Amino acid sequence: MATRISKNVERGDTVNIAINGETICAYEGETLATVLLLQDRLAFYETASGHKRAPFCNMGACYECRVHVEHDGRRQWVLACMTTIQENMSVTTGLQLPVLGNTPDAS
Amino acid sequence: MRAELAIVGAGPAGMAAAQVAARYGIDVVVIDEQGQPGGQILRQPPAQFRVRQWLTDRVYRSTQKLLQTSTAQTGIRWIHQSSVIGIFNHNQEHELHLNGPDGVTSLVASRVLIAAGCYDMPVSFPGSTLPGVMATGGIQAFVKSQRIIPGERFVFAGSHPLQLIVADQVTQAGGTVEAVVFSQPLKTVLGLIPYTGALLRHPAKLIYIAGAYLRLLRNGVKITTSSTLSRAIGNNSLESVQIVPVSGKDADKDGKEIACDRLGLCFSFLASTDLARQAGAQCAWSEKGGGWLAEHDEWMRSSVPGIYVAGEVTGVAGADVAELEGLIAGYAAALDEERIDLATAQQQLAGQRRKLKHAQNFADALSALSYPGIELLRDLMNDDSVICKCEELSVGKLKQTLRDNPLIRDVNAIKLLSRCGMGLCQGRYCSFQLSTLLASDYDIAAETGGTYKARFPTKPVTIESLLHNTAESKQS
Amino acid sequence: MSSYDALVIGGGLVGCATANYLAQAGLSVALIEKGNINQEASGRNAGSLHFQIEHRQIHHAQDLDSELQYCVSLAQLAIASWREIETELETNVDLAMDGGLMLAETGEEVSLLEKKAKLESEQGLNVQLMDGDETRRLAPYLGEHIKGALFCPDEGHCNPRLLTPAVARQAEKNGVTLFTRCHVTDIRRANKSWRVTAELNSNNTNHETMSFEGSIIVNAAGAWAVNVGRMANVHLPIFPVALLINVTEKVSPLIHHLIQHVGRKLSMKQVEDGNVLIGGGWSARLPQQRGDWLSDSAELDINAVRGNLQTATDIAPMIKQLRLLRTWTGTTGVTPDQLPIVGEVSQAPGFYVAAGGSGFTYGPTYARLLCEMITRGEPSFPLTPYSPDRFSHMNMFMG
């Protein structure tokens, strides 16, 4: 399990997000990758043949940290290492991606 | 949106260039994927954190200073959380397409500097795609920036001295490092220590590095040499790694299994030249320098008129070299925009060019000592290893495609037949292994085999973002 | 000097298939390709197998009744041939012939479809008119505003990355000698045969010159067919046109048909591996140097990319959720009347052409018929409408 470093760090306000339906409290400025690792979630997404994948590069190059996120009425996968948590984000891990939502017709 | 100089990358090269160019009155825009400037070397903690004694080591001081002075410089616009996904000819200028939080926007610039940096070299071996296997640079960023220890028990393996630094940072933060494994023999590793200073700016820092090495030993961290990975083991995630002697005939018998949940890979780095290549810049192959490197003249001008290149994209050589190259590129932009005359520019840079040569020599020596070598990289791969992680293609299956198609020996043709390189990472995490395989098994030089053609978009972008810019639509 | 019965220039689908059929008929064949097999349009197209009649022809239906009849009959030949392709090639090429939907968004477009349906059915093409609801039952991801579609059950797609290499492999097995990275530089007539000079590995400084001799030349050089024709002193009105294709990330199976549009440029399909390919005739730009097109260096225009993707999103809104992974270009050969050129150039006996037209959908068919023309004197299905001699007024003094 990953842990936060407490020495010499003062974190900001807390943010609530949902991970697989469970409400988790984390800190402003933390990335989804950080929060998922702190929650011991090592299956960020699943490949077509059923293998779990997790962060590798932590800089937005490898595309191994993809997670499904719903926020503000939108759903898409994002790179967890490049996405800062926002209040009411809802994350679902371990899915085959993309998961398409019902899109209203272009008006 | 318009600018006179668009700089891709807010690392040492980008910051140095921005500062100089802006000082000479050039309208500069700097674009970076991260939320704050600094590049990978200064992955700053979130603005909402207050971190005391962050990277206070003298080694970072110079880059920190550059960060302060460049961000204080007027005349620079900073665009964060945005990827440049393509550069196109636009009359005599360049049109950059930026993918940011509000969608895809375009920026027209007279001149462009590509200072897009580098990334940790991926390697393929049995179990390399297991959750828990990470790039050492990535582990470092979790510690340095997000202020977490991203796991419990760490093993670092590779050949690059960065792994000593990160292992030390992890143990200092309270994490457990089981082993740091070098493929080189011990005397080479010790010989590396003076050169690690080149990475961290000050040769005088060898005291710090030696300190890191000794601290690791004192903390009971095993530093193993002449050894390499044979496999990463685990069901759904990493549970242990098997380390074997590099040149053992009975490698499996002499193998040692180390229980761990995180493996940091640290072999080398690859230059991020995809955007430069998409823009048409000529690149040349350098195995030890980071793969396909952007070619340039002494003013950092690439082969494309109006496009400059600086930093790791011209050869992975550390922050020192990057900053100096960025400086030259900034002066070059000022020169080419006629804000400074040649004599003045040359005079201002005389000392810097000497420093650059010195720093480059250091970097070359370092890479000679720390580059793992094609044999080692090839030996990591067995037929079960996944070579293209996006398409889940094994080395064995790729070899079969090569056997079935004896006329097909260039990387793009191989990609079409095997799907190697067709996934979301756009070949960043398999092209080097493919080139290694072709060189090793078929005697095909990287120059002949080539690299995957870099195309728009250089990073995947949602069609919605491409079609619809929310900022623009709010105006309409 | 290497002597063969036939020299086929061009290693795309048409070249490889023609070489293969000629070899099967007992001829000795050399295939000469300047780059790699399947490197150009044959390997870069979107793999569509479209048999419905084009928009252009419907407008002039009254004048083109016999042309329509011809097209539909040829379509039926091609359909039959595609259904057998995997058996013939003894390998998988991701063939999917589950039907194509040509869409209409407006009332006017629906009328066009109705007109088309009538004409095509009269000629014997299997098509079925559907209203909006029926169309959406078949393809639920289509927008609510889609007014209807013309369904052709035989349309579909296959994998251009696999097809031509498979044909080339079979050609080799049948005795064709393949020369790749072998750029033809000179074509000359000598008595009753042709002499072809080529440079092997012309990119390297120490390239080798090769000489070939054959009584038959087949110009299957696609966008470069005009260059090859020039070398033989023959005018061929084939012009390079660059097009773009967009490919998305892989997604679970969603689109089971070839999607086209009667009033807009659009072609959309989902391949076996899951990616969605979006194209349909959107242009890329060919650079020129001293008046010569640089046909292998097409440049992208982002407005064309946007236009293409907007069209796709308009008819299938869920498309916009997908990531665009790559956009690439390819250069195809287009003739003034958009019909292919297949046949012998009378002024240059033994010089055959097979280029232009719908080279992917009809490539194997053109190849087979051309081979029959070469080996038996006459093809089993008339090729007269495609004859190079329809341009004979250009070549009165050539050959």
Side-chain angles (χ1 to χ4, degrees):
Chain A
M1 185 113 94
T3 48
R4 288 190 174 89
I5 296 168
S6 44
K7 191 163 161 218
N8 286 327
V9 190
E10 270 163 47
R11 292 175 170 83
D13 290 336
T14 56
V15 174
N16 289 316
I17 65 168
I19 300 175
N20 299 333
E22 193 189 331
T23 306
I24 299 294
C25 187
Y27 289 97
E28 271 194 325
E30 290 186 325
T31 62
L32 280 174
T34 291
V35 179
L36 287 169
L37 288 177
L38 289 170
Q39 294 295 315
D40 209 18
R41 301 276 174 188
L42 261 193
F44 280 49
Y45 79 96
E46 186 182 274
T47 66
S49 69
H51 291 105
K52 305 295 187 191
R53 295 286 174 89
F56 182 85
C57 75
N58 197 19
M59 58 178 278
C62 74
Y63 283 73
E64 290 301 295
C65 65
R66 302 188 290 141
V67 273
H68 179 78
V69 173
E70 289 179 47
H71 188 236
D72 275 352
R74 325 183 71 193
R75 44 155 67 182
Q76 56 173 337
W77 61 258
V78 298
L79 294 182
C81 74
M82 301 293 278
T83 307
T84 309
I85 57 173
Q86 306 281 328
E87 191 72 29
N88 291 327
M89 259 184 179
S90 178
V91 180
T92 313
T93 65
L95 299 177
Q96 292 196 4
L97 303 168
V99 173
L100 297 184
N102 292 320
T103 316
D105 240 5
S107 43
Chain B
M1 204 185 352
R2 273 211 54 95
E4 289 181 306
L5 174 64
I7 297 178
V8 184
M15 290 190 290
Q19 192 176 319
V20 166
R23 262 215 312 268
Y24 283 96
I26 293 177
D27 174 34
V28 179
V29 172
V30 181
I31 306 133
D32 195 273
E33 291 177 331
Q34 292 289 323
Q36 302 176 83
Q40 294 305 319
I41 186 140
L42 293 184
R43 278 279 289 265
Q44 297 188 71
Q48 299 94 336
F49 285 17
R50 208 133 17 125
V51 181
R52 286 184 296 283
Q53 293 176 30
W54 184 70
L55 299 188
T56 50
D57 313 304
R58 276 180 58 200
V59 296
Y60 297 103
R61 205 163 289 172
S62 186
T63 318
Q64 294 257 42
K65 180 153 185 272
L66 176 62
L67 174 63
Q68 281 156 28
T69 54
S70 62
T71 49
Q73 174 71 46
T74 53
I76 305 172
R77 279 174 283 167
W78 301 85
I79 299 178
H80 288 293
Q81 295 183 293
S82 298
S83 295
V84 178
I85 58 173
I87 301 179
F88 293 93
N89 264 328
H90 186 84
N91 305 319
Q92 311 282 25
E93 300 186 294
H94 306 279
E95 184 170 18
L96 291 80
H97 295 284
L98 278 55
N99 184 26
D102 290 329
V104 175
T105 48
S106 110
L107 162 65
V108 175
S110 319
R111 298 180 191 277
V112 180
L113 165 61
I114 300 174
C118 66
Y119 59 102
D120 301 73
M121 177 190 274
V123 287
S124 295
F125 55 89
S128 52
T129 56
L130 269 176
V133 177
M134 293 178 60
T136 293
I139 293 173
Q140 185 181 42
F142 277 119
V143 175
K144 240 175 19 183
S145 175
Q146 290 281 291
R147 311 309 289 167
I148 66 166
I149 308 162
E152 279 181 44
R153 301 169 77 183
F154 293 77
V155 169
F156 292 91
S159 55
H160 198 282
L162 176 70
Q163 59 182 3
L164 283 173
I165 297 165
V166 178
D168 181 45
Q169 286 170 337
V170 167
T171 50
Q172 294 293 1
T176 305
V177 176
E178 301 290 348
V180 181
V181 180
F182 280 91
S183 58
Q184 306 94 315
L186 181 66
K187 64 177 183 341
T188 314
V189 176
L190 293 176
L192 270 176
I193 290 170
Y195 289 104
T196 316
L199 270 189
L200 300 183
R201 292 246 18 179
H202 292 295
K205 267 305 136 188
L206 75 89
I207 295 163
Y208 169 73
I209 307 312
Y213 183 75
L214 293 172
R215 270 194 300 272
L216 286 170
L217 292 179
R218 240 186 296 133
N219 279 310
V221 175
K222 188 114 186 30
I223 298 177
T224 310
T225 55
S226 297
S227 298
T228 184
L229 284 165
S230 128
R231 57 182 62 242
I233 300 158
N235 277 321
N236 291 313
S237 66
L238 183 67
E239 289 162 26
S240 63
V241 297
Q242 187 184 49
I243 306 296
V244 295
V246 167
S247 56
K249 286 206 172 91
D250 295 309
D252 263 327
K253 250 204 263 168
D254 301 325
K256 192 177 41 162
E257 201 171 318
I258 308 174
C260 60
D261 64 339
R262 298 293 183 267
L263 170 63
L265 300 174
C266 199
F267 287 92
S268 186
F269 300 88
L270 295 180
S272 297
T273 50
D274 39 290
L275 185 63
R277 284 181 280 113
Q278 180 272 329
Q282 191 68 28
C283 286
W285 172 261
S286 162
E287 197 191 324
K288 295 192 174 109
W292 290 93
L293 308 178
E295 295 187 301
H296 58 90
D297 67 10
E298 54 160 13
W299 289 100
M300 311 315 295
R301 297 182 193 108
S302 77
S303 61
V304 178
I307 298 186
Y308 308 84
V309 285
E312 313 288 47
V313 296
T314 67
V316 178
D320 226 357
V321 169
E323 182 175 336
L324 291 164
E325 286 191 349
L327 195 69
I328 296 171
Y331 273 101
L335 185 65
D336 294 340
E337 285 290 316
E338 295 177 357
R339 309 292 166 92
I340 189 176
D341 63 276
L342 182 60
T344 312
Q346 280 172 333
Q347 186 229 2
Q348 302 259 346
L349 285 174
Q352 311 291 5
R353 284 192 188 274
R354 273 194 299 276
K355 259 207 246 168
L356 176 58
K357 194 116 206 353
H358 180 69
Q360 266 164 342
N361 290 340
F362 243 15
D364 289 343
L366 171 64
S367 97
L369 288 174
S370 64
Y371 184 71
I374 199 173
E375 249 187 73
L376 188 100
L377 292 173
R378 179 61 186 94
D379 284 345
L380 287 172
M381 295 188 251
N382 71 1
D383 280 3
D384 292 329
S385 310
V386 174
I387 184 169
C388 173
K389 60 167 186 69
C390 297
E391 297 293 309
E392 301 190 87
L393 179 71
S394 71
V395 170
K397 194 133 189 283
L398 177 67
K399 280 163 65 178
Q400 186 62 52
T401 301
L402 292 170
R403 272 195 295 274
D404 291 343
N405 295 276
L407 292 178
I408 305 292
R409 289 295 177 264
D410 84 276
V411 154
N412 284 292
I414 294 168
K415 171 181 173 180
L416 288 186
L417 278 179
S418 67
R419 289 191 66 96
C420 192
M422 279 198 180
L424 282 165
C425 86
Q426 298 172 318
R428 288 174 180 89
Y429 284 75
C430 67
S431 68
F432 198 85
Q433 293 97 303
L434 180 54
S435 296
T436 299
L437 195 80
L438 288 175
S440 200
D441 296 13
Y442 294 93
D443 215 11
I444 292 172
E447 290 90 340
T448 315
T451 188
Y452 303 129
K453 183 144 168 65
R455 302 178 191 275
F456 170 87
T458 53
K459 287 258 172 94
V461 55
T462 60
I463 290 173
E464 177 164 22
S465 298
L466 194 55
L467 294 179
H468 181 66
N469 176 263
T470 55
E472 280 170 6
S473 71
K474 276 174 197 151
Q475 288 164 19
S476 61
Chain C
M1 174 82 67
S2 313
S3 287
Y4 295 86
D5 295 325
L7 307 171
V8 177
I9 301 173
L13 178 58
V14 174
C16 291
T18 307
N20 190 27
Y21 289 129
L22 289 173
Q24 282 175 15
L27 276 68
S28 61
V29 185
L31 184 141
I32 308 165
E33 157 61 48
K34 70 175 173 64
N36 294 296
I37 301 293
N38 202 35
Q39 185 170 306
E40 300 299 335
S42 296
R44 296 170 187 235
N45 72 83
S48 302
L49 300 178
H50 48 85
F51 305 110
Q52 291 186 43
I53 302 310
E54 288 172 65
H55 185 199
R56 166 193 73 88
Q57 294 161 294
I58 299 306
H59 270 307
H60 302 113
Q62 315 87 272
D63 314 317
L64 296 173
D65 190 53
S66 61
E67 189 187 318
L68 267 169
Q69 182 179 59
Y70 179 85
C71 288
V72 170
S73 304
L74 191 71
Q76 284 158 337
L77 266 188
I79 289 165
S81 147
W82 278 105
R83 293 231 176 253
E84 294 307 305
I85 199 93
E86 287 180 328
T87 313
E88 194 188 317
L89 293 175
E90 296 169 331
T91 190
N92 165 58
V93 293
D94 291 347
L95 180 71
M97 288 171 79
D98 300 318
L101 288 164
M102 188 170 283
L103 305 176
E105 282 178 281
T106 66
E108 215 176 84
E109 287 167 1
V110 171
S111 306
L112 264 174
L113 285 184
E114 286 165 351
K115 200 169 162 188
K116 223 165 80 73
K118 184 169 178 291
L119 289 164
E120 287 166 342
S121 302
E122 275 168 10
Q123 303 295 354
L125 188 68
N126 192 358
V127 290
Q128 191 190 327
L129 203 55
M130 294 182 170
D131 67 23
D133 291 333
E134 275 179 280
T135 307
R136 264 180 299 279
R137 263 198 299 278
L138 213 54
Y141 51 86
L142 292 175
E144 281 301 307
H145 69 291
I146 300 295
K147 289 198 152 56
L150 192 57
F151 178 66
C152 176
D154 299 302
E155 289 186 320
H157 49 89
C158 90
N159 192 334
R161 298 182 290 103
L162 301 180
L163 180 71
T164 302
V167 177
R169 274 198 301 275
Q170 202 179 69
E172 261 192 312
K173 262 203 288 191
N174 287 325
V176 175
T177 313
L178 302 179
F179 295 90
T180 57
R181 296 187 200 205
C182 192
H183 201 137
V184 172
T185 53
D186 193 71
I187 300 176
R188 233 162 259 261
R189 192 122 182 97
N191 301 322
K192 291 269 165 78
S193 73
W194 294 93
R195 295 256 170 89
V196 172
T197 313
E199 273 176 13
L200 197 59
N201 293 323
S202 56
N203 290 334
N204 302 342
T205 41
N206 40 323
H207 56 257
E208 225 183 288
T209 303
M210 298 196 69
S211 297
F212 300 88
E213 185 196 34
S215 52
I216 292 155
I217 290 191
V218 176
N219 176 3
W224 294 265
V226 61
N227 307 63
V228 173
R230 237 178 249 149
M231 287 186 232
N233 209 30
V234 168
H235 277 315
L236 288 173
I238 300 181
F239 306 97
V241 169
L243 301 174
L244 65 88
I245 297 182
N246 300 290
V247 69
T248 71
E249 60 182 311
K250 294 191 286 193
V251 62
S252 51
L254 201 62
I255 301 174
H256 307 286
H257 307 95
L258 171 68
I259 302 294
Q260 299 176 85
H261 198 299
V262 74
R264 301 170 73 172
K265 289 191 291 195
L266 180 70
S267 148
M268 190 167 76
K269 66 181 70 66
Q270 184 172 17
V271 298
E272 181 80 24
D273 294 298
N275 311 76
V276 178
L277 262 55
I278 300 168
W282 290 81
S283 304
R285 228 195 323 255
L286 278 184
Q288 63 79 24
Q289 196 171 76
R290 297 164 123 203
D292 281 321
W293 296 117
L294 300 176
S295 298
D296 36 23
S297 316
E299 288 166 355
L300 212 54
D301 175 354
I302 198 168
N303 295 317
V305 174
R306 282 198 166 108
N308 196 183
L309 294 173
Q310 185 66 62
T311 309
T313 307
D314 286 347
I315 60 109
M318 57 70 183
I319 287 289
K320 65 174 178 258
Q321 296 178 56
L322 300 176
R323 242 76 165 189
L324 174 68
L325 191 50
R326 218 167 20 252
T327 303
W328 74 84
T329 60
T331 308
T332 186
V334 175
T335 60
D337 51 13
Q338 295 192 70
L339 298 176
I341 303 179
V342 186
E344 188 178 23
V345 178
S346 308
Q347 293 91 344
F351 188 88
Y352 294 84
V353 184
S358 296
F360 191 76
T361 301
Y362 290 94
T365 307
Y366 300 155
R368 188 163 58 79
L369 294 174
L370 183 67
C371 171
E372 288 170 1
M373 178 189 275
I374 292 170
T375 57
R376 303 181 204 165
E378 259 206 65
S380 58
F381 184 87
L383 281 172
T384 347
Y386 297 164
S387 170
D389 287 347
R390 69 189 192 274
F391 303 114
S392 64
H393 53 282
M394 290 185 205
N395 285 319
M396 283 183 341
F397 304 104
M398 310 299 274

